[in-house]
Amino acid sequence: METISNMMTLPTEPNAKFSAFDVAQFCIRSLQLVDEPSENAGLHKCFPFFTWECRKLVTARKGGDTVDRFCKYGVLSPSLQPFMGARRIDVGDITILPENPPMRGAIATCRVKIHTSNIFTVSHLSGMGRNGVRQEPPVVAMVVRLEKQRRPPYQNCWLVKEIMDTRMAFAGDMGNAGVAN
C-alpha cells in the first residue's frame, strides 16, 4: 500500500507521459486511500483522470461536472466503494486495443481483484446490513477501462472510461475470458 507521503506526490492532472497502467494504478490507489491525507482526497485526485462520461456513470449522473459534486456522490458509488479502504487490491496486466480513428483512441483494459474492507463483513456493498457476520469480507472482481484521448486538452493522455464489476459487465468482442479470475 502506498504511504501517505507518496500519495501526496502523485500527479494532479493527466499527462501524456503516463502509461495506461500508471493511470489505472494511480486511480486505484487513490480510491483505496480515499481519505488520505484528508477527507475525500482520493476522489479529488481521481476527478481529472476520469472522463466526464465516467464521472457521470459512477455518480448516477449527479457528479460529473464539479469536484465537489463528484466527491459528494462518488463516495456513495457502488462502482467505487469496493476500492475504498480495501485491505488489498491486486492489479492485473493491461490489455490494449489499438486506436480506431476517427471513432476512438486506444482502449486499455485492466482487471482488478479487490479484497474489500472489513466493513463489508457486516454490510453489503450497498451499505445495507447483513443478517449475519461473514468470516471474510468479499473479494470483488472489477475491470478498469481507459481510453487514450485524441483531442485537446488531454490529447494522448490516458483517462479512465469505465469502472465495472465483472459480474455486471459483458465486454462484447473483447470478451471477459480471464478478466473475472
Side-chain angles (χ1 to χ4, degrees):
M1 188 182 292
E2 299 285 336
T3 63
I4 295 170
S5 61
N6 287 345
M7 288 299 291
M8 293 188 328
T9 61
L10 288 172
T12 57
E13 62 182 36
N15 190 311
K17 72 180 181 182
F18 301 129
S19 70
F21 186 79
D22 293 339
V23 174
Q25 184 86 331
F26 163 72
C27 290
I28 289 165
R29 297 300 172 214
S30 294
L31 290 170
Q32 184 180 13
L33 300 172
V34 71
D35 289 330
E36 301 296 339
S38 60
E39 186 177 355
N40 294 331
L43 289 168
H44 276 273
K45 285 190 170 279
C46 286
F47 182 82
F49 289 91
F50 282 26
T51 63
W52 180 84
E53 294 86 355
C54 182
R55 293 191 305 253
K56 285 292 201 181
L57 183 67
V58 299
T59 61
R61 294 182 276 156
K62 296 178 182 175
D65 299 320
T66 67
V67 176
D68 292 335
R69 287 184 62 82
F70 178 69
C71 291
K72 177 179 178 181
Y73 295 103
V75 77
L76 303 172
S77 171
S79 298
L80 303 181
Q81 279 184 342
F83 293 93
M84 297 176 189
R87 295 173 295 130
R88 187 175 97 217
I89 299 178
D90 301 324
V91 181
D93 293 332
I94 254 187
T95 304
I96 298 180
L97 288 176
E99 64 184 344
N100 186 14
M103 302 304 284
R104 61 163 177 77
I107 299 282
T109 302
C110 180
R111 62 184 170 85
V112 181
K113 190 176 197 177
I114 305 167
H115 301 265
T116 60
S117 170
N118 290 332
I119 189 67
F120 294 118
T121 58
V122 294
S123 69
H124 292 283
L125 292 176
S126 66
M128 297 294 292
R130 292 188 184 276
N131 290 336
V133 177
R134 294 178 71 153
Q135 294 296 326
E136 287 289 318
V139 175
V140 179
M142 303 282 274
V143 171
V144 176
R145 203 160 276 151
L146 301 98
E147 183 175 10
K148 195 169 197 177
Q149 301 300 297
R150 297 182 315 110
R151 293 181 181 86
Y154 296 124
Q155 190 170 8
N156 293 320
C157 295
W158 288 97
L159 298 181
V160 176
K161 180 180 178 67
E162 299 172 303
I163 298 178
M164 300 174 290
D165 187 328
T166 58
R167 296 172 299 168
M168 315 300 177
F170 175 72
D173 292 342
M174 290 179 68
N176 278 344
V179 172
N181 299 327

